[in-house]
Amino acid sequence: MQIYGKIYTQEIIDLINEAIEREPGISRLELSRMVCETMNWRSANGNLQDMSCRKALAELNRRGAIKLPEIKQKYSFEKRSEKRVEVQITEITCKLSELGIITVEPITSRYSKDSKIWRFLLDQYHYLGSGHLCGSQIRYIVKSSIYGYIGALSFSSGGWKLKARDEYIGWSESAKNNNIKYVVNNARFLILPTIKVKNLASYVLSRVLSRLPKDWEQRYSVSPVLVETYIDPERFTGTSYISGNWKYVGKSSGRRDGIRKQIYLYHLSKSWKTILCKEKPYRLGERPSPGKGSDWTEEEFGRVDFYDNRLKERLKTIAGDFFNSPQSNIPEASGDKAATIGAYRFFKNENVKMEVILTAHKEATIERIREHKVVLAPQDTTILDYSTHPKTEGLGPINTIKAQNIGLILHDTLAFSEQGTPLGVLDAQCWARDQEEQGKSKRRKELPIEEKESMKWINSLKKVNEVRQLCPETMIVSIGDRESDIYELFKAAQAIQEGPKLLVRSERSRNRKTDHEDLWEYMSKREIAGSLEIHLPRRGNKKGRDARVELRFSEVNLMPPKRFKEEEPIQAWAVYLKEEAGSSSTESPIEWMLLTTAAVEKFEDAVKRVEWYTGRWGIEVYHRTLKSGCRIKDRQLSTTDSLEASLGIDMVVAWRIYYMTMLGRERPDFPCTEFFRDVQWKALHCYYNKTKNYPSKPPTLKEAIRMVGAIGGHLGRKGDGMPGAQALWRGIIRLDTATEMFVILTAKPPPG
């Protein structure tokens, strides 16, 4: 659970509840300090963030995650002193120089005389009163050596969400979360109304701003770089701020009192923008797991990098709706008007991006990868046709045959177990091609790899390597088809120390050379090591079939192409497959050349590399599930950014459907509660068996999947095997309706 940018795991929540149960009389201060110690939550000066923690505890209490003990007494800062001081105020009209020495001093103690006078002046003469300062704070009192007290100021922590300010700064949500501490708010500014001295307000502002960074750093170990303030345009013109070089950037939303305040900013440092926009790099594996037994949307998206918890909850809701109705459009999946509006608003949010959504899912994928010794990571490109949505901004051409066809290009990477079970999405690159670049293939060939679409293969390899570093006990194999046979990819793989292995099917037209001899000719001369039978899946109109192939393998030195003539050869292993003569009379015989950085020292190794490569077809099944099962082309959104965010959710939903399909075959005896909530499997049993009664014990995963497949059209005959993804997604749609009816029919009538 994420609150105010901090993640509270179930372990932390359990710890809090145990402490309250063990010691019911524990104070909130003691509780907050215990939590801060456990989470190592400290400010820049090393002090515990117990005040911020107490706010978070109150929010956890409001959400029902914990039950805080009742407050027995007020804290000292909540009590108002009954002894009030009053200051004799006189009318003064003079020049600035006639006020004598003007001092602007910070108040160091809330019990001092200056502190009481500061409160009196603001309560008496400021239209907002002294109020409550939020977060970090400093108060200043202004004195004249001749006339005494003449004004007061206060500064507190900067506001979290301020659209005009945030747009002016240009920082990301992540940068704001890390650097908001460098922004302070001028909460109060008072010059006594009885004092009529020209330029006094501007002078006091300049004096306080010159010392504010040092005072703030001395107190909080942070030197602010930007000051903000809000001016009520119905009361003030902001002349003193304007003359002091404060910059007007826009208006607030006016949600508190209905008045849109003018927002002014003042730069305390020339490098303010660099400091505020500096990103803290997101590192995979840093965020704690939500734990087993959580709802699947919490497992996959619980670590999403959103700092507004409402976005996270909306993400989980949309993902659940998309999974329950995978072939529905957004309004149909959402179910009602409010949820539909919320979904569209979610996708329009500038902080909602495909990469952020999939990074949270990748964290969960890493946990699944760690359970395997070998994981296959095929990468492939697919075209997303949105030609029926011509008003969507940012789409580009998707082929050269039909110029009017527009859409997006998706290049993704999935993780699979050796048995073919999909473990999750590791990378997704999505882009729209430039209309002006269409048909300029000659020019593109001359560009460096970094400016070509071919860079997608190397980008994927780097992302897979990030995951590999977090799974040291697992061998990850990056797999690509013939399009990935580019020298730069092998060069990138060679440069990564202890990185993922590479397995690529070579394209014959590349004219690969080994020791100045054609690779294909060299391998055809090698001795046949043995033969094996492989299954070729259905491709378009071509039916699936089994083929027996002859196998050759050898270590090779891949010579660099002419543009890399100064480079050294790259060491690799080649596995050459050629279909035996007469094996197929109806199809053209297959002939593959597999190149890999994984050692092939014996026939069994060569067979294993072939099995790895055939595992690449799993990503094609996934793409069919994504396009046909999730009906992504029916997502009607106004911009490509919104489409990509929606695609990020659909990719996880498609993975989950495919995962359920394969896990039912790999682990059939698992309880179905791995995928289905109690109400779902009960509704499934009743709907499938046409009965009102359900068993006390949930069925196995295999049994539940067979039932879902059956209501989705799978015949379940003796030779049919387990249902496929298509039958499952149709069954899930019907199950969603059946579950709604089950809830209605089994609901208890209201009392009375």
Side-chain angles (χ1 to χ4, degrees), residues 23-279:
E23 191 178 346
I26 189 172
S27 70
R28 299 192 179 192
L29 175 61
E30 292 172 317
L31 196 60
S32 66
R33 287 179 176 174
M34 180 201 73
V35 174
C36 287
E37 289 280 4
T38 304
M39 300 176 66
N40 194 26
W41 190 3
R42 298 177 182 274
S43 59
N45 59 11
N47 293 335
L48 297 175
Q49 293 273 48
D50 57 285
M51 181 60 73
S52 298
C53 184
R54 264 180 275 174
K55 289 175 62 180
L57 290 176
E59 178 64 16
L60 286 171
N61 184 68
R62 187 187 69 80
R63 295 185 189 181
I66 63 174
K67 185 169 179 58
L68 289 174
E70 295 295 328
I71 299 177
K72 295 182 178 179
Q73 61 178 14
K74 289 187 176 181
Y75 295 102
S76 58
F77 65 85
E78 296 177 302
K79 300 176 182 178
R80 288 291 183 89
S81 174
E82 295 179 1
K83 296 181 179 179
R84 302 296 299 271
V85 297
E86 294 191 7
V87 181
Q88 191 67 33
I89 303 300
T90 57
E91 293 191 4
I92 303 171
T93 303
C94 64
K95 295 181 179 180
L96 182 62
S97 58
E98 295 173 348
L99 289 175
I101 300 173
I102 298 174
T103 57
V104 183
E105 297 291 335
I107 296 171
T108 56
S109 170
R110 67 168 62 100
Y111 305 110
S112 65
K113 178 183 177 182
D114 283 350
S115 177
K116 295 175 182 178
I117 292 175
W118 179 91
R119 189 176 299 280
F120 169 79
L121 294 179
L122 287 171
D123 286 340
Q124 191 74 20
Y125 296 104
H126 196 285
Y127 78 105
L128 293 176
S130 58
H132 291 284
L133 299 180
C134 300
S136 303
Q137 53 195 260
I138 289 182
R139 297 177 295 159
Y140 289 92
I141 195 77
V142 186
K143 301 177 187 177
S144 161
S145 60
I146 298 176
Y147 297 102
Y149 295 99
I150 59 175
L153 302 96
S154 68
F155 296 85
S156 59
S157 299
W160 172 253
K161 194 171 184 63
L162 206 58
K163 183 178 180 181
R165 178 206 63 189
D166 294 341
E167 289 178 349
Y168 174 76
I169 295 173
W171 53 8
S172 66
E173 195 77 0
S174 174
K176 180 168 72 171
N177 183 67
N178 294 318
N179 304 319
I180 189 69
K181 59 189 176 185
Y182 297 108
V183 179
V184 297
N185 173 33
N186 178 203
R188 296 288 188 271
F189 180 28
L190 171 71
I191 296 294
L192 293 178
T194 58
I195 300 176
K196 309 294 182 183
V197 177
K198 189 177 181 180
N199 298 328
L200 174 60
S202 299
Y203 177 76
V204 170
L205 265 180
S206 65
R207 288 288 303 275
V208 75
L209 292 175
S210 65
R211 68 172 300 162
L212 177 63
K214 188 175 181 179
D215 291 340
W216 196 274
E217 184 175 20
Q218 186 176 3
R219 185 171 294 187
Y220 298 109
S221 299
V222 172
S223 180
V225 298
L226 189 71
V227 186
E228 64 188 26
T229 196
Y230 320 129
I231 296 175
D232 185 344
E234 297 180 7
R235 292 176 176 268
F236 307 105
T237 60
T239 303
S240 57
Y241 289 96
I242 296 170
S243 61
N245 294 322
W246 287 62
K247 184 176 181 63
Y248 170 74
V249 296
K251 293 184 177 181
S252 68
S253 63
R255 280 187 290 182
R256 289 191 177 180
D257 54 10
I259 301 173
R260 299 187 65 189
K261 310 292 195 304
Q262 294 177 334
I263 304 170
Y264 284 85
L265 302 178
Y266 185 84
H267 307 150
L268 295 172
S269 168
K270 291 182 179 180
S271 56
W272 66 272
K273 190 174 182 69
T274 302
I275 293 171
L276 294 180
C277 294
K278 185 177 180 180
E279 294 273 0

Side-chain angles (χ1 to χ4, degrees), residues 554-580:
S554 175
E555 185 176 359
V556 295
N557 291 318
L558 299 178
M559 303 302 294
K562 292 180 180 179
R563 64 184 182 277
F564 292 108
K565 59 183 178 180
E566 302 299 326
E567 297 283 345
E568 293 292 324
I570 291 177
Q571 182 191 40
W573 282 265
V575 179
Y576 180 48
L577 293 77
K578 188 172 183 180
E579 191 166 0
E580 294 178 354

Side-chain angles (χ1 to χ4, degrees), residues 626-640:
L626 179 63
K627 292 180 178 181
S628 301
C630 296
R631 300 284 294 274
I632 55 176
K633 67 178 181 180
D634 292 338
R635 305 292 187 221
Q636 297 186 17
L637 295 161
S638 58
T639 66
T640 53

Side-chain angles (χ1 to χ4, degrees), residues 516-527:
H516 306 288
E517 184 178 1
D518 181 79
L519 173 64
W520 292 75
E521 291 183 7
Y522 172 77
M523 290 302 299
S524 64
K525 298 174 185 177
R526 307 299 295 174
E527 182 180 348

